[in-house]
Amino acid sequence: MKPIKGKAKLLLYGFSGFGVNLLNLMMGSYLCSALLKGGFKPADVPFQTFAQKDLVVAAAWAAFVLVAKIIDGIIDIPMASFTDRLKSRWGRRRPTILIGLVALIASYLLFVLIIPNNGATIGNTVFFGLVLCLFYAAYTLTMVTYYATFTEVVDNIDDRNFVSNVKSVADIIYFIVGYVVVRMLLSGMNIKWVALIVLPISLTMIIPMFMIKEESTKGKKLESETVNLFKSIAYTFKNKDFILWMVVYAFMTFGSQLFLGGINEYFSYTGMSMIYVMLGAFVPVPFTLMLYNYIIKKKGFGFAFRYTLIAYSVSMLALFGASFSPSGAVKLACGILGGVICSFSIGAFFAVAYSIPSHLAAEDEKRTGIKHSAMYFAVQGLFAGVATGLATGVVLTALKQNGGAMTYLTVLCSVGCLVAFALSFILPKSINVLGKLGEAPLPTEASDSMAEATGNAQGADNQSAADEPATVEVAEQPVVDSVADDTAAEN
């Protein structure tokens, strides 16, 4: 693939995933919520729901969301295999980006435009559940392919980190758009129309179609290392340090994704200003990331990670306390304070999804000589998918169906991360001291990974036939866990 030269072009390329990630946010935080009116105060129901009534059976829908998230977690490797092994006259990347984008938009439109009037039925539940699975599969294919190109469109580490920094900044911007601008539109417009207004932004993913210069792969033999897929899975699960990390990561994911999944209902029910609280949470992120990285250098990853877990838990409890204030001014002030405290954790939660698995995979490769980094990210995606499915499917649906219970959403979010904090003390020293001066540095480059809350994907090449070796072609994906420092340097 021909490298892209020039900061302006790289800036444009790094921003390409903005629209698709915004659609993923819309689906997870707004459209799924719009199927059930529970959790919204009466004044918001005409704007926040599709039909001002339940359209799915709550218990069955909770199961579908859980299944969809698990599928989203396990399909990364097959999707990566498809894009890495595709043989066509147009190369590997452009066709798969196009296929994924078309399927993504189609499933999004199906979810938004086909609104039944017969209330909550199993038929409706199955329909929306299947469309949701299709949406997540298409999203994975699109973003796996896009992130896989990050090491192919540049030919040096500086440009690679620049593109990754741009992508990280774009992530912060789409969160602000999704949780501030969209929420403003929902003050007087139904979610259906807001969703359609947002849809054209997904076309930013067309940018790579014009910037990728790739030769035909038709008839060419792909070079890759051969690793049996099932042995790769077995080696990954035998890595005790990684499994310990997965346990901690799953509870952290539960706490963060429960809040993001129920954020719309929570602010509607409690009467707090989602717009101002989210501005308080996301605007300071570049600066709080600087502090996070400074703490890593001084104390190591373990100390810094625990600090972010405590910050997140305190912020959730601050929001819980603010929700009971009878004074609108006090509620707003405490809510904004909770958002600002939350900003000390958000950037770090983005970073750990890349840095720790990539480090453990690299150490495993040194120890065993087996190169199967993608499997680490696939297994992490599975753990994250289960945790997210339980949070946004089972727990959130239960809260929505039990009236005043929605107030306690942030308490459960806090509990999830407090459990992660307690369990983090079982992490081995090799993880705890990562990044500390004089110790092993945190990885600045890693394979692609699907992270939630925010959206990430891994690039790998494997063949899943049971009786044949599976090929794993690990694409080196830059992951910036010091995005604030590097962005400042670029400026």
Side-chain angles (χ1 to χ4, degrees):
M1 186 179 295
K2 185 177 180 181
I4 297 174
K5 297 296 183 180
K7 286 294 189 286
K9 291 182 179 179
L10 291 174
L11 178 68
L12 189 62
Y13 196 87
F15 198 78
S16 301
F18 176 87
V20 170
N21 279 327
L22 183 57
L23 252 61
N24 186 49
L25 182 152
M26 289 292 296
M27 181 64 75
S29 294
Y30 293 103
L31 301 187
C32 288
S33 295
L35 298 174
L36 294 166
K37 69 176 184 178
F40 294 111
K41 63 183 181 182
D44 286 335
V45 170
F47 306 113
Q48 305 272 18
T49 63
F50 287 125
Q52 294 78 60
K53 59 184 177 182
D54 290 352
L55 296 177
V56 294
V57 178
W61 177 245
F64 258 112
V65 172
L66 176 59
V67 170
K69 286 296 182 180
I70 293 175
I71 291 174
D72 183 37
I74 65 177
I75 63 173
D76 296 73
I77 291 292
M79 290 298 183
S81 176
F82 176 70
T83 180
D84 278 340
R85 300 185 65 81
L86 180 66
K87 296 182 180 181
S88 78
R89 58 179 296 186
W90 301 282
R92 297 178 298 167
R93 305 309 185 191
R94 286 180 295 177
T96 44
I97 287 177
L98 184 60
I99 292 170
L101 183 60
V102 170
L104 182 85
I105 293 175
S107 57
Y108 185 86
L109 286 172
L110 284 173
F111 206 98
V112 172
L113 294 180
I114 300 181
I115 308 300
N117 295 316
N118 55 345
T121 68
I122 289 295
N124 292 344
T125 307
V126 172
F127 168 76
F128 284 111
L130 292 177
V131 173
L132 183 65
C133 291
L134 175 60
F135 176 87
Y136 282 135
Y139 172 81
T140 297
L141 178 60
T142 305
M143 299 311 288
V144 158
T145 306
Y146 170 61
Y147 289 132
T149 65
F150 274 31
T151 57
E152 299 171 340
V153 297
V154 295
D155 57 4
N156 63 80
I157 186 62
D158 290 336
D159 284 350
R160 188 173 300 137
N161 284 339
F162 178 77
V163 173
S164 186
N165 287 338
V166 171
K167 185 263 177 192
S168 299
V169 173
D171 287 347
I172 296 173
I173 295 174
Y174 89 72
F175 266 80
I176 293 175
V177 171
Y179 293 122
V180 177
V181 178
V182 169
R183 188 62 184 85
M184 292 173 63
L185 293 174
L186 286 173
S187 297
M189 188 180 300
N190 184 267
I191 181 62
K192 173 181 178 179
W193 303 112
V194 175
L196 292 175
I197 289 173
V198 169
L199 178 59
I201 303 177
S202 64
L203 297 180
T204 57
M205 188 50 73
I206 293 179
I207 294 172
M209 301 292 295
F210 296 96
M211 300 187 74
I212 293 174
K213 306 298 181 183
E214 189 177 20
E215 296 180 355
S216 170
T217 56
K218 197 170 184 178
K220 289 188 176 181
K221 183 179 180 180
L222 298 175
E223 295 182 359
S224 59
E225 298 183 28
T226 59
V227 179
N228 183 278
L229 178 61
F230 298 105
K231 286 185 178 180
S232 178
I233 295 173
Y235 279 125
T236 303
F237 276 95
K238 285 180 181 178
N239 189 324
K240 181 181 177 181
D241 292 352
F242 177 68
I243 297 304
L244 291 176
W245 167 247
M246 282 297 90
V247 174
V248 175
Y249 182 78
F251 278 99
M252 182 207 78
T253 301
F254 177 90
S256 59
Q257 290 302 315
L258 177 59
F259 181 65
L260 292 177
I263 192 171
N264 204 23
E265 296 94 322
Y266 179 76
F267 283 102
S268 171
Y269 187 84
T270 60
M272 279 190 285
S273 173
M274 178 174 167
I275 295 172
Y276 290 114
V277 173
M278 288 299 99
L279 283 173
F282 288 107
V283 170
V285 166
F287 306 102
T288 57
L289 266 174
M290 290 181 179
L291 177 60
Y292 169 69
N293 290 314
Y294 175 80
I295 294 174
I296 285 179
K297 291 177 182 178
K298 292 295 183 180
K299 298 289 188 177
F301 169 79
F303 185 93
F305 180 59
R306 285 189 278 272
Y307 137 79
T308 62
L309 291 171
I310 290 296
Y312 182 82
S313 298
V314 170
S315 72
M316 293 295 102
L317 293 177
L319 291 177
F320 175 70
S323 67
F324 291 98
S325 174
S327 169
V330 174
K331 180 180 289 188
L332 177 61
C334 292
I336 293 174
L337 176 62
V340 172
I341 296 173
C342 188
S343 71
F344 287 84
S345 60
I346 293 175
F349 285 4
F350 287 159
V352 297
Y354 293 113
S355 55
I356 301 305
S358 61
H359 166 75
L360 294 174
E363 290 299 308
D364 191 28
E365 182 182 346
K366 290 179 182 178
R367 184 173 60 254
T368 65
I370 298 174
K371 188 175 183 180
H372 61 141
S373 304
M375 189 56 64
Y376 278 83
F377 290 97
V379 172
Q380 178 174 273
L382 177 59
F383 274 82
V386 172
T388 302
L390 289 172
T392 61
V394 179
V395 176
L396 180 57
T397 301
L399 291 175
K400 285 169 66 70
Q401 297 301 305
N402 288 279
M406 185 57 64
T407 305
Y408 296 91
L409 179 140
T410 52
V411 175
L412 295 176
C413 295
S414 179
V415 169
C417 283
L418 285 175
V419 173
F421 172 83
L423 291 174
S424 69
F425 288 95
I426 68 174
L427 293 175
K429 181 181 177 181
S430 60
I431 292 180
N432 281 314
V433 300
L434 275 175
K436 187 177 180 179
L437 292 176
E439 302 288 347
L442 271 175
T444 57
E445 300 179 11
S447 300
D448 302 307
S449 163
M450 292 292 297
E452 273 328 289
T454 137
N456 299 301
Q458 64 261 43
D461 181 58
N462 75 291
Q463 181 181 355
S464 58
D467 55 349
E468 295 181 12
T471 60
V472 178
E473 182 179 299
V474 180
E476 189 181 19
Q477 154 71 10
V479 177
V480 180
D481 53 344
S482 57
V483 60
D485 292 338
D486 290 342
T487 303
E490 290 292 341
N491 292 334

